[in-house]
C-alpha cells in the first residue's frame, strides 16, 4: 500500500473534524472511545484507511462510520464530510 492509503487515526479524526485538535483526537483514542473494525484502540498511532469501520463515542452520542478517504489536510467542513460515510447502526 502506498502512504496515501493509510493515515494515523488521530490525524484522520482531526482532519475529518471529529476533534478540534490532534491532542483532543489522541485523548479520544487513549480514553477508549474509538473502535476500528470492532476492536478498541489504545494507541493513536494506529493506521486506518478506506474501508475501515469506526465506532466513535462522542459525549452521549455513538457514531458508526466507514472511512472513504484519508485526506491530505484539515479543510472546511464540506470537504471533511467527503472522508466518511455514516452507517445507521440502529437499522431504522
Amino acid at each position: 500500500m502506498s502512504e496515501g492509503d493509510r493515515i494515523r487515526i488521530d490525524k484522520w479524526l482531526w482532519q475529518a473534524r471529529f476533534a478540534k485538535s490532534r491532542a483532543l483526537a489522541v485523548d479520544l483514542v487513549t480514553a477508549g472511545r474509538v473502535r476500528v473494525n470492532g476492536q478498541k484502540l489504545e494507541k493513536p498511532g494506529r493506521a486506518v484507511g478506506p474501508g475501515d469501520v469506526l465506532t466513535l463515542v462522542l459525549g452521549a452520542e455513538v457514531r458508526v462510520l466507514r472511512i472513504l478517504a484519508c485526506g491530505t489536510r484539515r479543510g472546511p467542513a464540506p470537504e471533511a464530510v467527503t472522508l466518511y460515510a455514516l452507517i445507521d447502526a440502529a437499522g431504522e
Side-chain angles (χ1 to χ4, degrees):
M1 269 185 185
S2 70
E3 190 173 315
D5 292 342
R6 310 289 288 168
I7 189 171
R8 287 174 55 110
I9 184 67
D10 61 331
K11 188 172 183 180
W12 188 90
L13 289 168
W14 174 68
Q15 287 181 351
R17 296 183 163 266
F18 286 103
K20 290 185 178 186
S21 70
R22 288 275 302 270
L24 291 174
V26 168
D27 291 346
L28 268 177
V29 175
T30 56
R33 296 175 181 245
V34 180
R35 291 181 183 260
V36 176
N37 300 324
Q39 296 183 320
K40 187 183 287 188
L41 293 185
E42 296 177 0
K43 297 184 179 182
R46 163 74 151 70
V48 295
D52 285 336
V53 175
L54 301 184
T55 305
L56 307 174
V57 179
L58 304 170
E61 187 178 359
V62 176
R63 288 193 176 172
V64 181
L65 52 103
R66 182 176 314 279
I67 296 176
L68 300 178
C70 290
T72 56
R73 67 185 186 122
R74 186 172 201 251
E79 183 179 317
V81 298
T82 65
L83 300 179
Y84 62 90
L86 290 174
I87 298 172
D88 182 10
E92 287 192 359

